[in-house]
PDB file of all heavy atoms in Angstrom:
ATOM      1  N   LEU A 142      37.417   1.437  32.645  1.00  0.00           N
ATOM      2  CA  LEU A 142      37.478   2.713  31.939  1.00  0.00           C
ATOM      3  C   LEU A 142      37.819   3.822  32.935  1.00  0.00           C
ATOM      4  O   LEU A 142      37.384   3.789  34.096  1.00  0.00           O
ATOM      5  CB  LEU A 142      36.138   3.002  31.254  1.00  0.00           C
ATOM      6  CG  LEU A 142      35.708   1.986  30.191  1.00  0.00           C
ATOM      7  CD1 LEU A 142      34.339   2.352  29.637  1.00  0.00           C
ATOM      8  CD2 LEU A 142      36.730   1.893  29.073  1.00  0.00           C
ATOM      9  N   GLU A 273      -6.597  18.617   2.933  1.00  0.00           N
ATOM     10  CA  GLU A 273      -7.661  18.475   1.930  1.00  0.00           C
ATOM     11  C   GLU A 273      -8.457  17.191   2.079  1.00  0.00           C
ATOM     12  O   GLU A 273      -9.516  17.048   1.456  1.00  0.00           O
ATOM     13  CB  GLU A 273      -7.047  18.541   0.532  1.00  0.00           C
ATOM     14  CG  GLU A 273      -6.358  19.871   0.237  1.00  0.00           C
ATOM     15  CD  GLU A 273      -5.562  19.849  -1.056  1.00  0.00           C
ATOM     16  OE1 GLU A 273      -5.162  18.756  -1.497  1.00  0.00           O
ATOM     17  OE2 GLU A 273      -5.343  20.932  -1.623  1.00  0.00           O
ATOM     18  N   TYR A 348       0.849  -2.979   9.361  1.00  0.00           N
ATOM     19  CA  TYR A 348       1.449  -2.553  10.626  1.00  0.00           C
ATOM     20  C   TYR A 348       1.269  -1.054  10.761  1.00  0.00           C
ATOM     21  O   TYR A 348       1.507  -0.300   9.806  1.00  0.00           O
ATOM     22  CB  TYR A 348       2.925  -2.938  10.666  1.00  0.00           C
ATOM     23  CG  TYR A 348       3.124  -4.439  10.753  1.00  0.00           C
ATOM     24  CD1 TYR A 348       2.932  -5.257   9.640  1.00  0.00           C
ATOM     25  CD2 TYR A 348       3.463  -5.039  11.962  1.00  0.00           C
ATOM     26  CE1 TYR A 348       3.085  -6.629   9.730  1.00  0.00           C
ATOM     27  CE2 TYR A 348       3.626  -6.420  12.058  1.00  0.00           C
ATOM     28  CZ  TYR A 348       3.434  -7.205  10.934  1.00  0.00           C
ATOM     29  OH  TYR A 348       3.580  -8.570  11.026  1.00  0.00           O
ATOM     30  N   ASN A 408       7.485 -11.588  15.476  1.00  0.00           N
ATOM     31  CA  ASN A 408       7.078 -13.005  15.460  1.00  0.00           C
ATOM     32  C   ASN A 408       7.226 -13.683  16.811  1.00  0.00           C
ATOM     33  O   ASN A 408       7.198 -14.899  16.912  1.00  0.00           O
ATOM     34  CB  ASN A 408       7.925 -13.766  14.425  1.00  0.00           C
ATOM     35  CG  ASN A 408       7.657 -13.292  13.012  1.00  0.00           C
ATOM     36  OD1 ASN A 408       6.510 -13.104  12.632  1.00  0.00           O
ATOM     37  ND2 ASN A 408       8.711 -13.069  12.250  1.00  0.00           N
ATOM     38  N   PRO A 455      19.419 -16.743  17.599  1.00  0.00           N
ATOM     39  CA  PRO A 455      18.990 -17.103  18.957  1.00  0.00           C
ATOM     40  C   PRO A 455      20.032 -17.951  19.657  1.00  0.00           C
ATOM     41  O   PRO A 455      20.771 -18.706  19.036  1.00  0.00           O
ATOM     42  CB  PRO A 455      17.682 -17.885  18.702  1.00  0.00           C
ATOM     43  CG  PRO A 455      17.744 -18.318  17.284  1.00  0.00           C
ATOM     44  CD  PRO A 455      18.544 -17.284  16.565  1.00  0.00           C
TER      45      PRO A 455
END
Side-chain angles (χ1 to χ4, degrees):
L142 298 177
E273 298 171 336
Y348 291 75
N408 295 316

